[in-house]
Amino acid sequence: MSSWLPSIAYSNPTGGYWDPVTSTINWCEEDYYATPYAAEIVNTLTNLLFIYFAYLGIQSCRKQGHDTIFLVSFVGYLVVGTGSCLFHATLKYPMQLVDELSMIYTTCLMCYATFSYSRSRLFSLYLALFLLSLAIFITLYYHYLQDPAFHQNAYAILTAVVLTRSMYVMELNLRPRLKQSESEYKLLHKRSMTANEKSVSREEDRRDRKILGMMWVMIGFGLTTFLGGFFIWHLDNVYCSKLRVWRREIGLPWGILFEGHGWWHLMTGTGAYFYITWGIWLRHCLDGRQDEYDLSWPRFWSLPEVVRTKSANGDARYDPSKKT
């Protein structure tokens, strides 16, 4: 490959502006090969995706009137991207904590949004105190251990719990046959109903099934992208020495394509954006506002957004033909 691709050879820097390294982990990307002002240039720049997606999410929450908890979640998502950008640029331990702990805090916010819905104020208060205590414990224990594996496991467990709970709530509250018990469902549909009531009920069931189908597509796309990022990151860790040889053989800019942690940023950032957007749509549906909000996802490779329908706000820019 190196025999025919035009390329620039990797440099052999002796140090950089932010030396010495104080973080407890250093990734597979070589340090300061592109500029003395960013230790890991690809890992730094790929975090701009987080910042851009966070900006879009915050703007959408403000414009479309989504619940405040999701606005705060996108702010947390912004902090994750900014912290990771600073961490990879400097490889300093304080920036490492900003990067990694903000992931925990943002996931705790989504955990609160998921488990507190339709619960009493007292339950929500106890849940908030529990999650706050958990976040403090993880922070202090991680600072004591300084073992990245602890952070990674804590983050994975929290994410799995939130995702599983959200899928359960989605099915239980939107799947027509799960909204009530089986006996209640049969009684509801066998009792004397006018023709108009039956028509409305069937239409609502079709609407909710369609929404569920689209939500599962979002989940599948987001989860596949997220886990794909994990897999590439794992390969980056296992085959780091070989990847470094390959990068130097093919030179720049082609070696950038073999920066696995950079792909992790792009893919998990996309997956996380899909999850928060799905959470927004699910919350509106749980509030019975399926006819007021819809998912705008005109192309599979574009970003989804939960928007007010034309009937809800008279927004002439909303195009019903793009409903998915």
Side-chain angles (χ1 to χ4, degrees), residues 13-267:
T14 56
Y17 181 81
W18 302 104
D19 275 345
V21 173
T22 60
S23 61
T24 61
I25 189 168
N26 196 342
W27 305 104
C28 188
E29 183 176 9
E30 295 186 45
D31 298 346
Y32 297 111
Y33 63 87
T35 171
Y37 300 105
E40 299 172 346
I41 188 64
V42 173
N43 290 344
T44 299
L45 294 179
T46 48
N47 279 292
L48 295 178
L49 181 94
F50 278 84
I51 297 173
Y52 175 61
F53 284 2
Y55 167 77
L56 295 179
I58 292 170
Q59 289 295 98
S60 179
C61 286
R62 297 177 62 187
K63 179 181 178 181
Q64 306 296 341
H66 303 319
D67 287 358
T68 303
I69 187 65
F70 297 108
L71 174 63
V72 177
S73 295
F74 272 119
V75 171
Y77 179 89
L78 174 63
V79 174
V80 171
T82 304
S84 184
C85 187
L86 295 174
F87 166 43
H88 289 290
T90 65
L91 293 179
K92 293 295 186 182
Y93 180 66
M95 295 301 102
Q96 178 184 350
L97 292 181
V98 173
D99 172 22
E100 296 178 330
L101 292 178
S102 59
M103 295 167 63
I104 298 294
Y105 302 155
T106 302
T107 309
C108 284
L109 285 173
M110 294 303 297
C111 189
Y112 178 82
T114 301
F115 283 89
S116 66
Y117 177 76
S118 74
R119 297 300 188 97
S120 67
R121 288 188 176 183
L122 183 60
F123 177 88
S124 298
L125 175 61
Y126 283 140
L127 177 63
L129 291 175
F130 168 75
L131 290 173
L132 177 62
S133 300
L134 178 63
I136 293 173
F137 167 75
I138 292 174
T139 300
L140 296 178
Y141 195 59
Y142 180 47
H143 180 62
Y144 169 74
L145 286 181
Q146 297 193 5
D147 182 2
F150 171 74
H151 162 264
Q152 293 160 14
N153 290 331
Y155 175 68
I157 292 171
L158 278 172
T159 301
V161 168
V162 175
L163 184 62
T164 303
R165 171 66 179 180
S166 297
M167 291 188 292
Y168 170 77
V169 170
M170 177 186 72
E171 281 288 328
L172 185 65
N173 289 275
L174 294 182
R175 182 75 61 186
R177 282 192 170 273
L178 295 179
K179 291 180 181 179
Q180 306 90 15
S181 66
E182 187 70 17
S183 59
E184 289 174 332
Y185 182 86
K186 290 179 179 178
L187 179 62
L188 176 65
H189 287 268
K190 283 184 177 181
R191 70 175 177 83
S192 178
M193 299 175 67
T194 66
N196 183 60
E197 287 176 329
K198 290 180 180 179
S199 176
V200 170
S201 178
R202 285 194 295 268
E203 183 60 32
E204 289 179 348
D205 286 352
R206 280 195 294 268
R207 176 201 64 192
D208 289 347
R209 289 191 187 97
K210 183 178 179 181
I211 289 173
L212 272 172
M214 198 62 237
M215 284 187 173
W216 278 115
V217 171
M218 280 189 73
I219 294 169
F221 184 89
L223 192 59
T224 299
T225 305
F226 195 90
L227 294 178
F230 262 105
F231 178 69
I232 293 175
W233 179 30
H234 174 71
L235 294 179
D236 193 60
N237 291 330
V238 173
Y239 299 105
C240 179
S241 58
K242 185 173 295 186
L243 288 170
R244 286 188 172 185
V245 171
W246 288 351
R247 291 175 199 147
R248 286 191 169 270
E249 285 180 352
I250 63 175
L252 292 168
W254 317 109
I256 291 174
L257 298 176
F258 292 91
E259 296 291 354
H261 198 73
W263 285 109
W264 144 265
H265 288 157
L266 297 177
M267 297 175 75

Side-chain angles (χ1 to χ4, degrees), residues 288-308:
R289 306 177 75 181
Q290 294 96 316
D291 295 325
E292 297 178 40
Y293 286 90
D294 201 0
L295 182 71
S296 175
W297 194 11
R299 300 175 186 83
F300 196 65
W301 57 87
S302 63
L303 287 177
E305 181 187 8
V306 179
V307 298
R308 286 182 180 272

